Amino acid sequence: MRRRLSYANVTATLALVFAMSGGALAANHYLINSTKQISPKVLKSLKGKNGAAGKIGATGAAGPTGASGPQGKEGPQGLTGPSTGPAGGALTGAYPNPTLASGSVTTSNFAAGAEAPIAANAESLGGTPASGYQTAAHWALVDKGGTIVSQSGGISVVSHTSGEYILDFGFSVVGHPILVTQSTRDNSFVGGVSTAPCGTTTESYPNCGGDPTTDVFVGTEDSADTGVSERSFYIVVL
């Protein structure tokens, strides 16, 4: 007995064919999205050798200077140097107590406006010996009769009347301080004593009559300071 084709049979058959062909189509277009889906052996065979290195490119522009780094720690202090040994330069002897070498200090070493020393040890400083310097202070002790009892040297009495004396110091006294005081040779302190350089300036004694450069006037007074009186005195010119 022959079976007849129906619409249902045809539809079922077509569905089966499409289903089979769709699975094959999907198998032919399988999507690989990870190397984990590929066998390691296959991956190894796909990897080729590295190619030759290319040429080195041009050097790029220098970048900006970076910020300074933090300061490092201070290193250990070095050993203290020796405090002994021979001195050099302007010094002589040995450390720790060197001294100035002879002749190492001259007037050329002084600051502007400084004066050469007149001390007794000037020779040890390399300057002119002390004997070559002028004595710093010139002094005399004069008796009431006008006689010089003792002095530093070079001083003479050129004029004497009662209570008035003119002394020549042998050098220019202009601008030098002059000091005078009574002495104890009279066994009493009575009256005043005054002094001034001879000359015509306001600081001088105008009626002195002596040399205005080298001479000095001294006057001694009585106990009432009303008139001149013979008195012994000390006088110093610096």
Side-chain angles (χ1 to χ4, degrees), residues 37 48 65 105 125 185 220 228 232 238:
Q37 297 173 263
T65 303
V105 178
L125 299 177
R185 289 179 61 82
T220 57
V228 294
S232 61
L238 301 177

Side-chain angles (χ1 to χ4, degrees), residues 115 134 136 138 169 171-179 196-205 211-216 236-238:
E115 297 181 358
Q134 178 177 296
H138 302 262
F169 276 80
F171 70 95
S172 178
V173 297
V174 177
H176 288 253
I178 302 174
L179 307 175
C198 294
T200 58
T201 65
T202 56
E203 296 84 8
S204 303
Y205 186 68
D211 189 309
T213 302
T214 62
D215 292 358
V216 175
V236 178
V237 176
L238 301 177

Side-chain angles (χ1 to χ4, degrees), residues 178-194:
I178 302 174
L179 307 175
V180 65
T181 183
Q182 290 186 10
S183 77
T184 57
R185 289 179 61 82
D186 300 328
N187 295 320
S188 63
F189 292 95
V190 293
V193 58
S194 60

Side-chain angles (χ1 to χ4, degrees), residues 99-115:
T99 58
L100 283 172
S102 177
S104 62
V105 178
T106 63
T107 54
S108 63
N109 302 117
F110 297 160
E115 297 181 358

Side-chain angles (χ1 to χ4, degrees), residues 85-88 90-101:
L91 302 177
T92 186
Y95 291 100
N97 298 308
T99 58
L100 283 172

